[in-house]
């Protein structure tokens, strides 16, 4: 099999047969001429299939070592489509440290379908099996988690899911396909917000679902078409462009993040730091076994509470205060008011999301400039 970097550039992206164009064209068409009634060339209507999106979906499957890829209009659209596999009366077991938008979806939307969720402490994998009920149909996790960057043993959880005939879905957004491929460890479904590292330039909103299970793919493809939350051809093209440089960018994100994490860990203004690449991280050994790199995300708790967070954020110049992550530029996020604002205060504290927690998406600027920016803000 070709190496990751080669597949990311070539898989599903052959030169255009009509013109020889090296880059996949943006097919801005809603519909396609049919040769006769019931006879077409593989495309009927662009909600169902579009050649630019087909190329993206092939690339997505390849970089995750999967057989089937599906692209969506956002990460939450991808998540919603996976959750559409469930029926009234079904039950989900989910890791307790997860994106606030996923929590909002589970508690404010999916619950209205008659589907309930039990949240399990991500640090205690045996509790996932304890939480399983006769009607449990899905286990949902993130690893690394958002925002506390916890790691869960995918292979161990896959064994639990398989033994109980339950689907295991893993949100792989934080690691990216370059550093981690959950299907290799037994997961059934991988989900991404392609808005983040796969797009990589903070210029699109998108999502993805990848699987090697043909039955699951058939169902998910049906829901993709029936629900219709698909990306435009242009957004598909932008994600394809991003995937081509994913390997190069992720190596730079990681290099910068490790450099800054080692600096921040020793700083007297930092109460606690979360970064999988530090030997002090509780699951550092598991990270090295399950991932090929440590990623570009850092979370930290500042001494001095919220007042210190406000001062810190106001003094940063290169780290922009903004939602999202995974772009080439560095961002600072305050989970309590931003990504995890949907969680009630009691839930946030229960899950360890304190008022002095900030999350850094480390970009690919020069590491010394980023360090100087943080030093100035902490001074």
């Amino acid at each position: 099999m070709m190496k990751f970097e080669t597949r990311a550039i070539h898989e599903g992206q052959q030169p255009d047969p009509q013109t020889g164009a090296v880059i996949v064209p943006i097919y801005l068409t809603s519909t396609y001429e049919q040769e006769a009634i019931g006879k077409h060339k593989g495309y009927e209507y662009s909600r169902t299939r579009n050649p630019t999106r087909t190329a993206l979906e092939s690339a997505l499957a390849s970089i995750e070592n999967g057989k089937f890829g599906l692209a969506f209009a956002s990460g939450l659209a991808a998540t919603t489509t996976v959750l559409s596999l469930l029926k009234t009366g079904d039950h989900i077991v989910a890791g307790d440290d997860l994106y606030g938008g996923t929590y909002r979806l589970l508690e404010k939307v999916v619950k209205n379908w008659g589907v309930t969720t039990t949240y399990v402490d991500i640090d205690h994998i045996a509790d996932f099996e304890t939480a399983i009920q006769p009607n449990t149909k899905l286990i949902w996790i993130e690893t690394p988690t958002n925002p506390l960057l916890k790691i869960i043993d995918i292979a161990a959880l896959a064994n639990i899911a398989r033994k109980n005939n339950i689907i295991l879905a893993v949100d792989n957004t934080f690691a990216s396909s370059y550093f981690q491929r959950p299907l290799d460890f037994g997961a059934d479904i991988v989900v991404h917000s392609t808005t983040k590292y796969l797009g990589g330039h903070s210029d699109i909103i998108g999502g993805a679902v990848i699987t090697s299970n043909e039955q699951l793919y058939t169902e998910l493809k049906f829901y993709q078409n029936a629900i219709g939350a698909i990306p435009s051809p242009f957004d598909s093209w932008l994600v394809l462009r991003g995937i081509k440089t994913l390997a190069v960018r992720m190596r730079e994100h990681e290099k910068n993040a490790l450099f800054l994490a080692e600096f921040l860990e020793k700083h007297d203004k930092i109460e606690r730091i979360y970064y999988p690449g530090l030997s002090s991280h509780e699951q550092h050994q598991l990270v090295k076994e399950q991932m090929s790199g440590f990623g570009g995300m850092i979370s930290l708790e500042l001494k001095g509470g919220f007042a210190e967070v406000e001062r810190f954020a106001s003094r940063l110049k290169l780290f922009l205060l903004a939602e999202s992550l995974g772009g080439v530029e560095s961002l600072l996020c305050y989970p309590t008011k931003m990504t995890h604002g949907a969680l009630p205060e009691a839930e946030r504290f229960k899950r360890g999301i304190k008022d002095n927690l900030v999350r850094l998406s480390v970009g690919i600027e020069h590491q010394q400039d980023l360090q100087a920016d943080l030093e100035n803000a902490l001074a």
Side-chain angles (χ1 to χ4, degrees), residues 191-268:
V191 177
H192 282 275
S193 170
T194 58
T195 309
K196 313 304 192 297
Y197 286 113
L198 298 192
H201 294 79
S202 302
D203 53 11
I204 60 104
I205 299 291
V209 175
I210 302 97
T211 185
S212 289
N213 183 309
E214 188 169 4
Q215 181 179 344
L216 284 176
Y217 167 72
T218 300
E219 292 183 61
L220 291 165
K221 177 62 183 172
F222 171 81
Y223 286 120
Q224 181 198 46
N225 183 54
I227 296 170
I230 47 93
S232 72
F234 184 55
D235 286 349
S236 298
W237 185 87
L238 286 173
V239 178
L240 266 176
R241 183 194 64 173
I243 287 174
K244 288 176 184 290
T245 60
L246 179 63
V248 178
R249 288 185 288 104
M250 292 311 298
R251 290 194 288 264
E252 290 299 307
H253 284 298
E254 179 195 36
K255 182 179 75 174
N256 283 356
L258 182 58
F259 175 81
L260 294 179
E262 290 173 343
F263 155 71
L264 291 166
E265 186 177 33
K266 300 170 186 173
H267 201 286
D268 59 7

Side-chain angles (χ1 to χ4, degrees), residues 94-98 119-128 140-143 145 148-153 157 283:
D96 63 342
D97 191 29
L98 80 172
Y119 300 95
V120 174
D121 186 341
I122 212 96
D123 291 327
H124 300 95
I125 196 165
D127 291 353
F128 279 86
W140 181 278
I141 62 162
E142 301 172 6
T143 183
T145 61
L148 298 180
L149 298 168
K150 296 181 178 182
I151 309 297
I152 189 163
D153 189 330
L157 197 54
Q283 294 124 343

